[in-house]
Amino acid sequence: MRRYVVALGVGAAISLAPIMLSDRAPALLASVSYRTERALPTWLGGQLKDRLPDPDIVVHVLVYTALALLVTFAVWSWRSFAVGQLLLLLGGGALEVSQVVLTSGRSASVVDASGNLVGQVIGVVAGLVAVGAWRVVARRDRSGPAAAG
């Protein structure tokens, strides 16, 4: 099962890199956000106006939450967990810096990097909670019904 999680994570990272380096990504994201906000009921749109975070930050947080979860679920030891998370952190930083070098309309952003970090922290915490809960349930299942009663 872990190899599928690893393959999914590597595939996601590889497919996201061109999007993060695209000059069109910010405009596309703004367009999708604008359409989503216009599709909301008027009363809800009025309530949320000026309270929603920038859609670009939301995407960074969500993407890095998902990637950190994938790393957490794919590892076999604490060492591989730490190495995987460090590589994700460094990869996010490298993507931000490479936007300056590889694109004409993008720049490195501390706000985007912060969104990456916040997402990664959320993913790590959620992943560790999920793995811990799974281990508790697995331990309980292994001990059998006699130990539970």
Side-chain angles (χ1 to χ4, degrees):
M1 180 70 168
R2 287 183 195 245
R3 85 179 109 168
Y4 298 114
V5 174
V6 170
L8 180 64
V10 169
I14 289 171
S15 64
L16 285 170
I19 294 168
M20 300 291 263
L21 293 172
S22 169
D23 283 330
R24 293 184 174 177
L28 175 65
L29 183 59
S31 172
V32 169
S33 174
Y34 176 71
R35 288 182 187 160
T36 303
E37 288 173 14
R38 286 193 47 205
L40 293 173
T42 307
W43 66 270
L44 183 58
Q47 293 284 329
L48 296 177
K49 190 162 183 73
D50 300 326
R51 293 183 184 181
L52 295 174
D54 182 28
D56 188 43
I57 297 304
V58 173
V59 168
H60 281 268
V61 170
L62 292 176
V63 165
Y64 278 83
T65 297
L67 290 173
L69 279 168
L70 286 171
V71 168
T72 302
F73 296 150
V75 298
W76 293 267
S77 67
W78 285 110
R79 182 171 189 251
S80 59
F81 170 78
V83 168
Q85 294 297 340
L86 180 62
L87 288 174
L88 179 58
L89 181 66
L90 294 174
L95 267 174
E96 283 300 315
V97 171
S98 63
Q99 288 178 356
V100 175
V101 176
L102 300 175
T103 66
S104 60
R106 307 277 309 263
S107 60
S109 167
V110 173
V111 175
D112 288 352
S114 299
N116 297 351
L117 181 60
V118 167
Q120 188 171 359
V121 168
I122 291 169
V124 165
V125 170
L128 291 176
V129 167
V131 168
W134 178 79
R135 287 184 177 172
V136 166
V137 170
R139 194 174 312 130
R140 189 176 310 146
D141 288 346
R142 279 194 304 261
S143 61

